[in-house]
């Protein structure tokens, strides 16, 4: 009996000790963590779009007549000037046709003059004079046609541009319409890029701001082109498969640095008036949704879903979920849970922002 009584006393002592330990842990001071409030500020976000660079004018140079290629006066990659000779197709046949046409025209002219003299003397009828005049007009037209064909044997540059690869060589027999080369006017460039539907609507609603139409171009080597471009046109229809619409920006290219067919990235700034900013490190994700811990007046944590409008270096622009004056937790996000009570060191948002570049996870 005495042994059982001692066992019961020992059990009671252990239970009391456990209760005291739990009570002590419950009354431990809550952790002190850094917090801040959102920052309101006018800012802008740089959007990036993959783009294709096209020459302002890019044409195919083709043979207009069939014949042997007699001369090539230009070389690949050469800058050619407007009117400069590029190719010469052997003109012998066309010269002979022109001489034949001119001879026939001279014959018709003589017949017309003879008929006119007879008509003046009332020897032939006016109808015969009209017929002679028609024959002369037809012969003169044949001369013009032969001159045109002969002119087609000399191919000159229609504008100043850079010549591309030669598709023929001297002595080749070229058919009418054969591709000889291509010519690109790169004095200015048309740069095409696709914009999602939502961003297109934002652009149209803010187009009154001239700064919206200015864009920059990051080239393939990572450097930003030294001249700004201007958005000038938007295509008529959306691509229903991708939900995009094509924009076209124009860039001056005085140094001929950029060429037709290059790629790059368009950098377009989108302004945000009175944007609500919070540090990225104050957020965490669960199943692709973004949350923050809001410290309520009683010190307890509320896990709140937020909607991000845009991203800046070290910062998020919050579209929904927070309001002015909300206190958000900055540190210890992995160590606390919703409903926990914390003691906070509330830092001014300006001070937090100035230290963000020093932050590492």
């Amino acid at each position: 009996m005495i042994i059982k009584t001692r066992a019961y006393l020992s059990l009671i002592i252990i239970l009391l000790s456990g209760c005291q330990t739990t009570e002590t842990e419950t009354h431990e001071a809550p952790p002190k963590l850094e917090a801040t409030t959102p920052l309101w500020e006018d800012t802008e976000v740089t959007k990036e779009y993959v783009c294709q660079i096209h020459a302002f004018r890019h044409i195919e140079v083709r043979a207009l007549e069939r014949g042997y290629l007699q001369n090539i006066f230009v070389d690949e990659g050469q800058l050619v000037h407007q009117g400069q000779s590029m190719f010469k197709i052997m003109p012998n046949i066309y010269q002979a046709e022109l001489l034949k046409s001119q001879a026939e025209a001279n014959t018709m002219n003589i017949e017309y003059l003879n008929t006119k003299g007879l008509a003046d003397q009332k020897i032939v009828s006016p109808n015969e004079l009209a017929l002679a005049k028609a024959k002369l007009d037809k012969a003169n037209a044949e001369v013009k046609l032969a001159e045109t064909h002969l002119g087609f044997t000399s191919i000159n540059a229609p504008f100043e541009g850079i010549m591309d690869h030669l598709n023929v060589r001297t002595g080749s027999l070229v058919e009418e319409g054969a591709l000889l080369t291509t010519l690109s006017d790169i004095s200015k460039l048309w740069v095409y890029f696709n914009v999602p539907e939502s961003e297109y609507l934002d652009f149209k609603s803010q187009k009154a701001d001239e700064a919206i139409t200015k864009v920059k171009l990051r080239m393939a080597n990572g450097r930003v082109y030294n001249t700004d471009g201007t958005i000038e046109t938007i295509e008529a229809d959306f691509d229903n498969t991708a939900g995009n619409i094509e924009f076209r920006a124009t860039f001056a290219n005085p140094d001929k640095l950029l060429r037709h067919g290059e790629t790059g990235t368009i950098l377009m700034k989108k302004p945000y008036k009175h944007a609500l900013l919070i540090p990225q490190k104050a957020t965490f994700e669960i199943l692709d949704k973004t949350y923050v811990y809001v410290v309520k007046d009683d010190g307890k944590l509320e896990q709140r879903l937020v909607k991000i409008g845009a991203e800046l270096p070290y910062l998020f622009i919050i579209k929904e979920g927070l309001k002015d004056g909300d206190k958000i937790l900055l540190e210890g996000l992995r160590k606390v849970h919703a409903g926990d009570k914390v003691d906070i060191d509330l830092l001014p948002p300006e001070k937090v922002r100035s230290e963000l570049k020093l932050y590492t996870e």
Side-chain angles (χ1 to χ4, degrees), residues 22-151:
T22 304
E23 186 176 353
T24 302
E25 290 176 354
T26 303
H27 287 87
E28 282 185 1
K32 189 167 187 178
L33 302 171
E34 291 183 352
T36 190
T37 55
L39 174 66
W40 293 94
E41 184 177 271
D42 291 343
T43 187
E44 60 185 18
V45 174
T46 301
K47 297 284 187 176
E48 299 186 0
Y49 308 93
V50 176
C51 64
Q52 289 283 339
I53 300 171
H54 292 257
F56 166 57
R57 287 181 288 188
H58 179 75
I59 64 166
E60 295 178 338
V61 180
R62 294 182 177 271
L64 295 176
E65 295 292 349
R66 182 178 187 274
Y68 287 99
L69 190 62
Q70 186 174 22
N71 293 107
I72 299 176
F73 303 107
V74 288
D75 198 3
E76 297 172 336
Q78 179 182 339
L79 175 66
V80 297
H81 302 284
Q82 184 174 1
Q84 181 178 342
S85 295
M86 298 180 69
F87 302 94
K88 182 71 173 180
I89 295 174
M90 189 174 292
N92 300 31
I93 294 176
Y94 304 102
Q95 286 174 340
E97 289 180 349
L98 176 60
L99 292 174
K100 178 183 176 182
S101 300
Q102 289 172 338
E104 290 178 354
N106 288 335
T107 301
M108 291 299 104
N109 186 50
I110 293 170
E111 288 185 5
Y112 169 74
L113 292 176
N114 289 338
T115 305
K116 187 176 185 302
L118 294 173
D120 291 342
Q121 299 175 22
K122 308 296 183 181
I123 298 175
V124 298
S125 67
N127 286 341
E128 290 187 27
L129 178 62
L131 182 59
K133 180 64 168 62
K135 290 180 179 179
L136 176 60
D137 290 342
K138 180 182 178 182
N140 287 332
E142 293 291 341
V143 172
K144 292 291 185 183
L145 182 60
E147 287 176 345
T148 300
H149 282 293
L150 179 61

Side-chain angles (χ1 to χ4, degrees), residues 196-209:
E197 183 176 355
S198 60
E199 294 176 20
Y200 157 80
L201 294 172
D202 290 341
F203 173 84
K204 293 297 288 184
S205 66
Q206 299 172 344
K207 196 177 178 181
D209 187 348

Side-chain angles (χ1 to χ4, degrees), residues 72-80 84 86-87 161-170 179-184 259:
I72 299 176
F73 303 107
V74 288
D75 198 3
E76 297 172 336
Q78 179 182 339
L79 175 66
V80 297
Q84 181 178 342
M86 298 180 69
F87 302 94
I162 302 292
M163 202 183 85
D164 197 16
H165 180 71
L166 283 170
N167 292 308
V168 291
R169 296 293 184 268
T170 302
L179 179 62
L180 306 179
T181 187
T182 56
L183 188 66
S184 300
R259 299 292 182 95

